[in-house]
Amino acid sequence: MMRWIYGIFDRLSGRFCYSLPIAVFSVSGGQASALLGFLFILIVTDLPPERIRLYSTLMLLLVPLNSLIHYTLFGLLRPWTRRLELPSLRHLNDWVRGGGIPSAIPLEELSRLTRTLEQLARLNFRLAGLLSGAIVLVAIVIELLLGTPQSAARFVLGGAIAIIPYMIFSTIVTELTVRPVLGQARRMLALRGAWQGPSYQATLTTKFFLLVGLTAISQVVLISLFVLKPRIVRSPIIFWMICAFVLGAAVLVSLLIFHSITRPLDEVEEAAQQLVAAGSAHFFTGSTNREFIRL
């Protein structure tokens, strides 16, 4: 699966810029999460037909707009000389081409580039939350004005179902895709005697909480169907379609999280084998987890 992801990433980054494929993968997860949250709201909330049409229209307008903003901030217009991406990403795209960093990059620029790569997952996490949260907030305000506090509370729950997986997926995908270049940047700094440690470190505890959050979302969706709409549960086709959607998404993201943990372990094994064979080895991981960086 990761070979497929890296293959798409390389093709898109070669044609557009380095940061855009990160947004493409992130937004794909966000669109799936938005669909799940929207379906959940429609199922558990008794909305009149006119409000269903209203929210469907908002969904069709705001989700593509959300995607376009995310793409633009990550470099969609760069090939047409419209460098409208975020300033830190503008610097990243100036130096990373074809999946690698040029050896002639000045030391100051290399240090800045490394800091950007280390903090990119956190940046994408916040951007995903901000963009999706704005859509959810608009829907909640409209429901408060047109509906009841009880129905608005269900919109809050549906919004959480849409936002949290989007943020988790954006974080993990970003970390996985920048890992090779981040490892290269750290290695180049070390060879120039300028490596002073990471500017940002996450922990494996963070990934544990991401898994817990993902599991909680899956359980909330299924339990809410039983409690709020038992007639849906008695419809086998609808119920099992929802179960397959929720569990499939949870399994996919869980696999990505586990890969983000196991890949640094593979790098440690490779360095150990090099040490045994050659008597010396260099280990510079592209992980942002403190436990692996300390190795």
Side-chain angles (χ1 to χ4, degrees), residues 164-182:
I164 295 175
Y166 183 17
M167 296 174 71
I168 292 175
F169 188 75
S170 297
T171 302
I172 299 303
V173 163
T174 305
E175 181 179 330
L176 288 174
T177 49
V178 305
R179 182 195 305 277
V181 175
L182 178 54

Side-chain angles (χ1 to χ4, degrees), residues 4 16 21-22 24 27 34 36 46 57 106 108 111 128 143 159 181 188 195 247 270:
W4 175 76
F16 292 92
I22 298 174
V24 170
V27 167
L36 177 59
D46 293 319
T57 302
E108 182 178 351
S111 298
E143 187 59 22
V181 175
M188 292 173 68
W195 169 246
L247 296 178
E270 293 169 2

Side-chain angles (χ1 to χ4, degrees), residues 8-46:
I8 295 177
F9 184 90
D10 290 340
R11 283 193 291 272
L12 288 175
S13 61
R15 183 166 184 174
F16 292 92
C17 61
Y18 181 78
S19 62
L20 181 62
I22 298 174
V24 170
F25 287 124
S26 299
V27 167
S28 65
Q31 292 169 342
S33 298
L35 177 60
L36 177 59
F38 184 61
L39 291 176
F40 177 85
I41 289 172
L42 292 182
I43 290 171
V44 303
T45 310
D46 293 319

Side-chain angles (χ1 to χ4, degrees), residues 3 10 14 42 44 72 96 130 132 137 150 167 182-183 195 216-217 229 237 246 253 255 265 282:
R3 291 181 180 176
D10 290 340
L42 292 182
V44 303
T72 301
V96 181
L130 178 64
S132 57
L137 181 60
Q150 291 77 14
M167 296 174 71
L182 178 54
W195 169 246
I217 287 294
K229 287 291 180 179
I237 296 178
V246 172
V253 178
L255 288 174
L265 295 176
H282 298 285

Side-chain angles (χ1 to χ4, degrees), residues 44-66:
V44 303
T45 310
D46 293 319
L47 296 172
E50 61 272 14
R51 289 225 298 279
I52 292 178
R53 288 193 293 269
L54 171 62
Y55 291 125
S56 298
T57 302
L58 286 175
M59 178 87 170
L60 293 174
L61 290 176
L62 295 183
V63 171
L65 178 61
N66 176 306

Side-chain angles (χ1 to χ4, degrees), residues 57-112:
T57 302
L58 286 175
M59 178 87 170
L60 293 174
L61 290 176
L62 295 183
V63 171
L65 178 61
N66 176 306
S67 303
L68 181 61
I69 293 173
H70 204 149
Y71 293 150
T72 301
L73 293 177
F74 270 64
L76 174 64
L77 301 179
R78 188 180 179 88
W80 296 278
T81 69
R82 303 290 184 180
R83 300 169 72 243
L84 300 179
E85 66 264 43
L86 296 169
S88 59
L89 298 183
R90 195 176 305 149
H91 176 263
L92 171 66
N93 292 325
D94 285 342
W95 286 105
V96 181
R97 308 181 188 93
I101 304 171
S103 57
I105 181 173
L107 179 57
E108 182 178 351
E109 299 296 331
L110 178 60
S111 298
R112 180 183 173 188

